[in-house]
Amino acid sequence: MPDLSGSFSMNKVSKFQGIIWAAVLITLWIANLAYWIDADFSWSNPWIYVAVLIQTHLYTGLFITSHDAIHGVVYAENPSLNHAIGRFCTILFAFNDYSTLRAKHHLHHAHVNTNEDPDVHQGPFLFWWFKFIWQYVTWKQVLAMAITYNVLKIWFPMWNLILFWEAPAILSTLQLFIFGTYLPHRGEHAADNKQQSRSQSKNHIWAFISCYFFGYHFEHHAHPYLPWYKLPKAKDESLA
């Protein structure tokens, strides 16, 4: 695999590109939720389920933005603002704890696919899934979600909250786990695979739809300073 360290130096990351993408994803997430949270709908309307999938994908975008903030690439010029954006995205994403995510994600990169890796638990899918969730879900988060739900229920219909606020968060967590952890890290990896991860085949459209290009996971571990929208170029370079 060619050395990409020069062609993808931090100097070539546009100064405000990460903030612009963060603003776009946050705005779309708020706009889609605001439209549907009080809308009349019929269960027979197929666009309802499309809207749920869109909101799920936007939730994933929030998490990916917080992930990029963890790596310092949402706004590298100002670390405090960079981490503030990441923290805000994790709050929107079901009151996740940014500090916990940040600490454990750096452990994942430092000790990938070892006993010290908090994300990788080789074994059956459900076993791995539950252990993965157990690492990050806290009673404070559950309490915050419960309180917020009961407050919002004063003004908004129950099913709207479930369909467009709660369910997409759960589905997004599953999406992130499958495409960002389970598929890239499951099974054995060659001893000379320093990243202990694999990538999906090149298909930029599917890679974006599935998980904002994090199916190109070998490239992410090889170049963790790359924001999500730079991973397709890394994939192209790795195949050159």
Side-chain angles (χ1 to χ4, degrees):
M1 181 176 178
D3 181 9
L4 305 180
S5 58
S7 59
F8 288 115
S9 68
M10 282 299 299
N11 292 332
K12 294 187 178 182
V13 177
S14 177
K15 186 175 181 180
F16 297 108
Q17 198 169 3
I19 289 182
I20 292 170
W21 275 114
V24 167
L25 290 169
I26 291 169
T27 300
L28 290 174
W29 181 87
I30 292 173
N32 196 54
L33 178 61
Y35 178 83
W36 288 106
I37 199 170
D38 199 28
D40 292 329
F41 69 88
S42 168
W43 291 98
S44 62
N45 181 358
W47 289 108
I48 294 300
Y49 307 101
V50 174
V52 171
L53 292 177
I54 290 173
Q55 191 67 3
T56 298
H57 193 62
L58 292 171
Y59 260 109
T60 300
L62 292 181
F63 191 91
I64 294 298
T65 300
S66 68
H67 166 273
D68 277 2
I70 286 170
H71 286 287
V73 296
V74 170
Y75 190 49
E77 299 289 325
N78 187 327
S80 295
L81 179 57
N82 171 83
H83 292 304
I85 293 171
R87 195 175 302 278
F88 180 62
C89 287
T90 57
I91 290 172
L92 292 181
F93 195 112
F95 298 99
N96 274 280
D97 187 307
Y98 180 74
S99 296
T100 298
L101 290 173
R102 185 181 177 192
K104 291 192 180 238
H105 190 67
H106 284 307
L107 284 175
H108 168 63
H109 275 268
H111 306 286
V112 60
N113 201 21
T114 68
N115 291 334
E116 288 76 36
D117 186 345
D119 290 352
V120 177
H121 309 280
Q122 296 291 354
F125 178 87
L126 288 179
F127 168 80
W128 191 340
W129 163 245
F130 285 123
K131 289 201 73 172
F132 179 82
I133 291 297
W134 188 257
Q135 293 283 335
Y136 297 103
V137 177
T138 67
W139 68 267
K140 292 180 181 179
Q141 178 185 2
V142 174
L143 180 62
M145 285 291 288
I147 291 173
T148 304
Y149 169 78
N150 281 283
V151 171
L152 291 175
K153 201 168 62 172
I154 297 172
W155 297 287
F156 303 112
M158 177 189 74
W159 278 111
N160 293 61
L161 289 171
I162 292 173
L163 277 178
F164 303 110
W165 183 58
E166 291 183 330
I170 297 170
L171 292 173
S172 175
T173 302
L174 186 60
Q175 178 183 4
L176 286 158
F177 172 71
I178 291 173
F179 294 103
T181 298
Y182 179 72
L183 292 179
H185 293 295
R186 68 174 176 169
E188 297 293 327
H189 301 274
D192 60 352
N193 182 346
K194 295 180 180 179
Q195 315 309 329
Q196 287 294 291
S197 59
R198 64 179 61 85
S199 286
Q200 66 180 75
S201 300
K202 178 182 173 182
N203 184 324
H204 293 340
I205 295 175
W206 171 240
F208 172 73
I209 292 172
S210 62
C211 199
Y212 291 79
F213 305 117
F214 269 81
Y216 299 152
H217 210 73
F218 182 94
E219 288 73 18
H220 167 59
H221 274 265
H223 313 286
Y225 50 82
L226 289 182
W228 63 268
Y229 46 85
K230 296 287 186 179
L231 288 174
K233 187 175 181 181
K235 182 67 173 181
D236 292 340
E237 292 272 348
S238 70
L239 296 174

